[in-house]
Amino acid sequence: MDKQYITINYTNVHLCHNDRTILSDVCLQAHSGEMIYLTGQVGSGKSTLLSSMYGNTPIRKGHAIILDHDIQHIRRSSLQYLRRQIGIVHQELRLLSDRTIYENLDFVLRATDWDNKSLRRERIEEVLNWVELPDTGNCYPHELSGGQKQCICIARAILNHPELILADEPTGQLDMENGERVMALLDEVRRQTGCTVVISTHNLQWPDIFPGTQYVCENGELKKKTINQ
């Protein structure tokens, strides 16, 4: 992927929730292969900003481009296509509890038009190997630790070779050791595939350990803070 490709381009964007302005005049630009951190207090707008990139929070004013799509005026059919190019990692471990890990991953592939069963199996084995959990396919989510389940969520997020990964507090429920493992996986995805990774976090240690570009949500504004790479 072209390292100069702009995956996110927000110019003077206003984000609202229930007619209440959350963030004003947001300017943010991210290139392929870049790690972006969104930091700030709880309720400062980090999750709202991430949600807007996925098309869940409307853009009230400004100019917002995600992977060459005008997210403010995007059609429903184009939004579905865009979402297939984006991997999502939530703080909550949203795995289907009544299905095995293999079935959880297979569900995503079948929902995104992977009709060939052998290719689906090959891709699932590939991502499980990638997150170093090759023997978990027949396990149910409750049989895995919190750190393992979040690694599975990363495997799920990269199934469709996304150009952009949005991670909302991906280590919020994990201890330091497991959190660092999850962050290392996200950083490895970025370096290996050239995708952009955007992470909202309250843990200010991560930008020091895994350098990127930091934006701070504060007082209804987004302020850029550059970290030495």
Side-chain angles (χ1 to χ4, degrees):
M1 186 183 295
D2 182 0
K3 295 297 183 181
Q4 298 304 311
Y5 175 58
I6 298 175
T7 52
I8 304 170
N9 196 359
Y10 274 35
T11 306
N12 302 124
V13 166
H14 288 240
L15 298 175
C16 302
H17 180 69
N18 294 333
D19 295 325
R20 181 172 69 91
T21 299
I22 306 298
L23 290 171
S24 300
D25 291 318
V26 172
C27 292
L28 186 157
Q29 189 176 92
H31 294 78
S32 52
E34 190 172 3
M35 178 82 88
I36 301 290
Y37 291 98
L38 304 178
T39 63
Q41 298 296 319
V42 173
S44 61
K46 302 187 302 294
S47 294
T48 299
L49 181 53
L50 277 184
S51 176
S52 74
M53 296 176 185
Y54 194 64
N56 278 348
T57 296
I59 307 293
R60 295 298 175 86
K61 190 167 71 172
H63 190 58
I65 302 295
I66 301 290
L67 302 177
D68 293 329
H69 293 269
D70 182 346
I71 199 74
Q72 185 177 10
H73 303 104
I74 194 168
R75 295 181 178 180
R76 183 180 297 272
S77 59
S78 297
L79 180 59
Q80 293 304 316
Y81 173 74
L82 171 63
R83 287 175 173 173
R84 294 185 184 186
Q85 300 173 275
I86 299 175
I88 304 293
V89 181
H90 298 280
Q91 177 178 358
E92 301 84 10
L93 307 174
R94 299 181 182 180
L95 296 170
L96 301 172
S97 61
D98 61 340
R99 304 189 188 194
T100 66
I101 297 305
Y102 181 92
E103 290 168 340
N104 267 270
L105 300 178
D106 194 52
F107 176 81
V108 173
L109 290 178
R110 287 187 288 109
T112 51
D113 300 329
W114 286 61
D115 298 324
N116 188 302
K117 185 176 181 179
S118 63
L119 289 179
R120 295 202 309 270
R121 178 174 293 277
E122 180 180 324
R123 181 57 181 159
I124 290 169
E125 291 176 352
E126 188 175 40
V127 297
L128 288 179
N129 278 315
W130 199 88
V131 299
E132 299 181 347
L133 292 171
D135 300 322
T136 58
N138 292 325
C139 297
Y140 286 86
H142 72 271
E143 298 177 294
L144 303 182
S145 70
Q148 288 175 320
K149 284 186 280 191
Q150 193 62 294
C151 290
I152 294 298
C153 290
I154 293 174
R156 181 179 59 186
I158 65 175
L159 278 169
N160 281 302
H161 306 281
E163 295 183 51
L164 173 63
I165 291 179
L166 305 177
D168 193 3
E169 295 283 2
T171 65
Q173 297 184 12
L174 305 178
D175 59 27
M176 185 63 183
E177 181 180 355
N178 282 303
E180 189 164 349
R181 180 185 180 189
V182 165
M183 287 297 301
L185 279 175
L186 290 169
D187 192 51
E188 182 70 10
V189 169
R190 176 190 66 82
R191 291 188 290 108
Q192 291 284 343
T193 69
C195 72
T196 305
V197 178
V198 183
I199 300 173
S200 74
T201 183
H202 63 271
N203 190 331
L204 299 183
Q205 296 181 74
W206 300 142
D208 291 332
I209 299 172
F210 304 97
T213 302
Q214 184 178 341
Y215 287 84
V216 182
C217 294
E218 188 176 35
N219 299 323
E221 297 179 343
L222 188 72
K223 301 175 182 178
K224 183 178 180 180
K225 177 183 177 181
T226 301
I227 304 167
N228 293 329
Q229 299 271 352

